Amino acid sequence: MTANVTVYCSSSNNAPGEYFSAAEHIGQGLARRNIGLVYGGGKVGLMGCIADAVMRNGGTARGIIPRFLEQRELAHHGLSELHIVETMHERKMMLAEWGDAFLVLPGGFGTIDELMEAITWKHLGHHKKPILLLNINGFWDPLTGFFREIASQKMASPDYAKHYTVCSSADEVLGLLDALPASV
Ligand code: AMP
């Protein structure tokens, strides 16, 4: 079983309610499986929702937030650990290193940036960690369609698609996390 999963997701409080339900369900599922959450450390949006669900259900949540976002993303002071760092690069490095797998829920530009880094670094051979996309409501379809378009215009290898797994439900995500080895 996976020991820690790094979750990237929306910092918006206005995301659709269905996404909050999925984040809550996954947070509860992580806690029940004793899989630690590693995430961006905020209280806002799906980020805060999944962290709250982990903590409420007796799990472990570690957050990493840069000092300049402490107020804007309302650093979560009810976590197992909150790490305040100086730069986005430090945060991203710790987020990328501490998880045994990446899970990406719906999100905006920050989430997409983090997803791109996880995929491109895997392609470059910097890590071999699973990358799971929660494709609730087909949220990621336009982006994965664009990836196919890039490949069809020969600007990327179609191999990119093998670097991530698209999941259509929170339960599918939890089932895949159950099947992953503890350290990959
Ligand atoms: P968003 O998906 O835009 O709601 O952002 C989700 C998380 O990504 C938040 O914690 C943001 O601080 C973070 N974020 C925003 N922009 C970037 C970026 N360019 N690189 C890395 N993380 C970012």
Side-chain angles (χ1 to χ4, degrees):
M1 185 196 285
T2 319
N4 291 289
V5 62
T6 295
V7 174
Y8 297 137
C9 60
S10 175
S11 59
S12 169
N13 288 325
N14 300 317
E18 202 182 333
Y19 301 174
F20 281 89
S21 307
E24 167 89 31
H25 187 67
I26 291 175
Q28 186 182 78
L30 294 181
R32 289 192 177 152
R33 288 164 173 78
N34 207 19
I35 299 174
L37 170 72
V38 177
Y39 85 113
K43 250 177 122 64
V44 287
L46 303 182
M47 298 172 67
C49 176
I50 193 167
D52 285 343
V54 167
M55 295 309 295
R56 208 179 311 114
N57 288 280
T60 303
R62 293 187 288 167
I64 305 148
I65 196 162
R67 198 175 301 282
F68 80 96
L69 285 179
E70 227 181 319
Q71 300 304 323
R72 202 188 317 163
E73 294 189 0
L74 306 178
H76 198 314
H77 292 284
L79 303 173
S80 315
E81 292 174 21
L82 177 67
H83 298 262
I84 313 244
V85 297
E86 296 308 319
T87 67
M88 289 298 268
H89 282 111
E90 272 178 87
R91 177 205 226 183
K92 284 172 68 172
M93 187 55 69
M94 289 159 81
L95 288 169
E97 284 180 358
W98 288 5
D100 301 303
F102 296 99
L103 168 59
V104 188
L105 273 54
F109 287 97
T111 304
I112 291 170
D113 174 84
E114 293 161 335
L115 169 63
M116 288 300 98
E117 186 174 282
I119 294 175
T120 50
W121 287 26
K122 189 168 178 178
H123 189 74
L124 294 172
H126 287 352
H127 73 84
K128 292 186 163 56
K129 300 176 189 182
I131 301 170
L132 309 182
L133 293 184
L134 177 61
N135 194 31
I136 189 166
N137 273 347
F139 181 82
W140 293 112
D141 287 349
L143 190 63
T144 52
F146 185 58
F147 295 165
R148 279 191 294 279
E149 179 61 24
I150 295 170
S152 82
Q153 295 192 30
K154 313 253 182 281
M155 289 182 283
S157 153
D159 275 5
Y160 266 91
K162 73 176 192 225
H163 295 317
Y164 56 86
T165 305
V166 179
C167 304
S168 51
S169 71
D171 281 327
E172 190 181 341
V173 164
L174 292 170
L176 283 176
L177 290 177
D178 279 338
L180 294 174
S183 192
V184 273

